[in-house]
Amino acid sequence: MRTPFVAGNWKMHNDLAAGRELVAGLKAKVGKDCKIDVAVCTPFTLLYPLAAELKGSPIKLGAQNCYFEPKGAFTGEVSPQMLSAAGCTYVIIGHSERRHVFGETNDLLKKKVVAAQAAGLHVIYCIGELLAEREGGKTEQVVESQMAEVLSGDLKTDLLTIAYEPVWAIGTGKTATPDQAQAVHAFCRAKLGGIFGESTAQKLRIQYGGSVKPGNAAELFGCPDVDGGLVGGACLVAEDFAAIIAGGEASIG
Ligand code: PEP
């Protein structure tokens, strides 16, 4: 059985005071008895101080991006080794905003995934189609190439989670229906079987992301191939994120 995994993507939100307040609110609601895996992926500037706040908590820390070199003359970049040293367990790679706002390609993302795992980080690798691609019937083709061009059988699958995030559902309030999400997740799992082998694909978690809210989390996470979620807007309010985590726990039964 796969343990659901709910991660919050804070994006470019929160200064230190607001970050501390949000983490304190979450710690009050997510105790050691939490039945699922939980992480908050914060801006780089908050990693060191929030790692200290989260020490001993079941809530783990993640970053939202990294470069693929360990160090050097790469102005403005942060290496996977730096993220590990700051207390990160996770790093999001290939978020749609990295792909579509910053132009990150599958070639670049492949290097980042390998480098992040080499530094001991667990990668949340994001895939997902644009609205025009869905409307053009290209969803499967897009997510298949985003997996095939970046993932390979030699990756550490215990340090890998896939996040299926249809771009048209991110930050739009337009959530995929459970049927739409399940269909793509099942397709992805079958393709992951081709890359990693069937039994490993059955163990890999595939999160759903795109306007997950307290009101839709339990139904989405209850789909057979949906193993929790990657949450943007709703993770910025402690009560909402805690309710989404509760939706993940409910999906275990
Ligand atoms: C995200 O940023 O990964 C995301 C899914 O955002 P939202 O939940 O706001 O759609």
Side-chain angles (χ1 to χ4, degrees):
M1 197 188 75
R2 298 179 295 270
T3 303
F5 174 26
V6 171
N9 174 12
W10 288 16
K11 309 198 187 194
M12 200 170 71
H13 292 290
N14 289 331
D15 60 15
L16 181 53
R20 282 203 159 114
E21 197 181 320
L22 180 49
V23 157
L26 282 175
K27 276 166 65 182
K29 288 172 189 305
V30 182
K32 286 204 190 336
D33 57 346
C34 182
K35 296 202 270 297
I36 67 169
D37 291 337
V38 176
V40 289
C41 300
T42 79
F44 292 135
T45 51
L46 303 186
L47 293 173
Y48 270 104
L50 293 187
E53 306 275 345
L54 289 170
K55 216 164 178 202
S57 156
I59 305 166
K60 302 293 178 215
L61 189 64
Q64 302 167 18
N65 181 31
C66 66
Y67 196 52
F68 60 82
E69 293 285 359
K71 62 181 175 180
F74 304 105
T75 302
E77 295 294 335
V78 174
S79 77
Q81 287 73 10
M82 291 169 174
L83 298 182
S84 288
C88 284
T89 301
Y90 296 99
V91 62
I92 299 171
I93 304 276
H95 188 277
S96 78
E97 287 145 24
R98 299 303 315 174
R99 291 179 187 270
H100 300 297
V101 180
F102 298 99
E104 295 196 358
T105 61
N106 285 337
D107 275 355
L108 174 64
L109 297 174
K110 185 176 175 70
K111 291 182 190 159
K112 290 188 177 197
V113 170
V114 170
Q117 288 197 336
L121 294 169
H122 184 121
V123 171
I124 300 172
Y125 175 60
C126 301
I127 58 175
E129 80 287 4
L130 297 162
L131 181 60
E133 291 167 337
R134 172 158 285 259
E135 288 176 346
K138 295 206 168 86
T139 298
E140 293 189 347
Q141 191 185 314
V142 170
V143 295
E144 181 171 3
S145 67
Q146 288 170 334
M147 290 188 291
E149 292 174 22
V150 172
L151 306 176
S152 51
D154 53 353
L155 286 174
K156 300 170 189 166
T157 48
D158 54 330
L159 293 180
L160 183 66
T161 295
I162 307 299
Y164 168 59
E165 300 202 296
V167 181
W168 48 271
I170 297 180
T172 58
K174 231 171 137 185
T175 316
T177 64
D179 283 352
Q180 284 174 322
Q182 169 57 27
V184 182
H185 281 233
F187 173 81
C188 290
R189 197 174 302 287
K191 293 296 159 189
L192 290 167
I195 299 171
F196 298 111
E198 173 60 20
S199 72
T200 300
Q202 286 303 325
K203 290 185 202 130
L204 272 171
R205 291 179 294 189
I206 308 176
Q207 298 173 317
Y208 167 78
S211 299
V212 175
K213 304 258 178 293
N216 60 27
E219 199 185 356
L220 283 161
F221 301 166
C223 297
D225 285 290
V226 178
D227 309 308
L230 182 56
V231 183
C235 80
L236 297 172
V237 177
E239 294 71 32
D240 289 353
F241 194 49
I244 289 168
I245 292 165
E249 290 187 288
S251 74
I252 299 174

